[in-house]
Amino acid sequence: MNIGNVSEQSGLPAKTIRYYEDIGLVQPSRRENGYRDFAVQDLHKLAFLGRARSLGFSIDDCRTLLSLYEDRERSSADVKAIAQSHLARVDQKIEELQALSATLRDLVVRCHGDDRPDCPIMDDLTRSDLRRRENIPLEQPSEHW
């Protein structure tokens, strides 16, 4: 199969397929004219990679999972360990996003959104971590901003 066929069947853009080839995740054979020639097994690998990436697995995780996919003697414990580690990262990110959402929600609620210049959102944005860490006094914004 050529890259267009594999792209269509796997749901991955040709550019992504070329990238996966460049980093060694798939290794299609080459025809005499130099064009890639994907086997059915390559298509399965690409579909596997597409699904793994859609679940947020890193390229390194995908490389490991792909090697386990190809290993008929694999231990499901190895696969589970990778998934558990990824799940822990996802859960941590969710916690961070929930905290971010709560902060933004609070700022939006506190902002009157009217014609007055005072705004809790702007106040919060001007209190950067740098100023808090360095004990730099808060100043009014300069007219050169």
Side-chain angles (χ1 to χ4, degrees):
M1 288 178 277
N2 66 32
I3 196 165
N5 297 125
V6 171
S7 174
E8 185 178 313
Q9 291 183 39
S10 69
L12 296 173
K15 186 175 183 176
T16 300
I17 294 169
R18 285 186 205 97
Y19 173 68
Y20 288 166
E21 180 186 10
D22 288 344
I23 63 172
L25 291 176
V26 290
Q27 297 168 340
S29 60
R30 295 279 180 163
R31 296 182 185 157
E32 287 182 25
N33 61 8
Y35 290 144
R36 293 168 184 85
D37 189 19
F38 292 90
V40 173
Q41 185 62 22
D42 295 320
L43 176 59
H44 288 289
K45 286 181 187 180
L46 288 166
F48 179 94
L49 290 167
R51 178 64 177 147
R53 293 293 288 156
S54 76
L55 290 172
F57 284 100
S58 69
I59 292 292
D60 286 339
D61 284 344
C62 286
R63 187 180 307 281
T64 304
L65 288 168
L66 192 57
S67 71
L68 290 168
Y69 169 74
E70 295 172 327
D71 179 4
R72 297 289 178 202
E73 302 296 316
R74 70 180 168 263
S75 165
S76 65
D78 294 336
V79 178
K80 184 175 181 175
I82 294 166
Q84 284 177 317
S85 177
H86 179 55
L87 179 59
R89 290 189 303 270
V90 168
D91 287 343
Q92 177 63 39
K93 187 66 172 176
I94 289 170
E95 286 179 27
E96 292 168 5
L97 288 171
Q98 286 173 333
L100 175 66
S101 176
T103 299
L104 286 171
R105 185 172 289 106
D106 178 62
L107 290 171
V108 168
V109 166
R110 290 184 14 224
C111 181
H112 295 286
D114 55 19
D115 293 336
R116 296 182 298 177
D118 60 314
C119 176
I121 298 168
M122 294 303 287
D123 292 344
D124 185 82
L125 294 174
T126 59
R127 290 184 181 93
S128 72
D129 284 338
L130 176 63
R131 287 188 180 129
R132 288 183 200 135
R133 277 188 245 128
E134 307 262 337
N135 294 322
I136 299 172
L138 293 174
E139 300 173 3
Q140 291 299 319
S142 75
E143 293 187 29
H144 301 294
W145 271 24

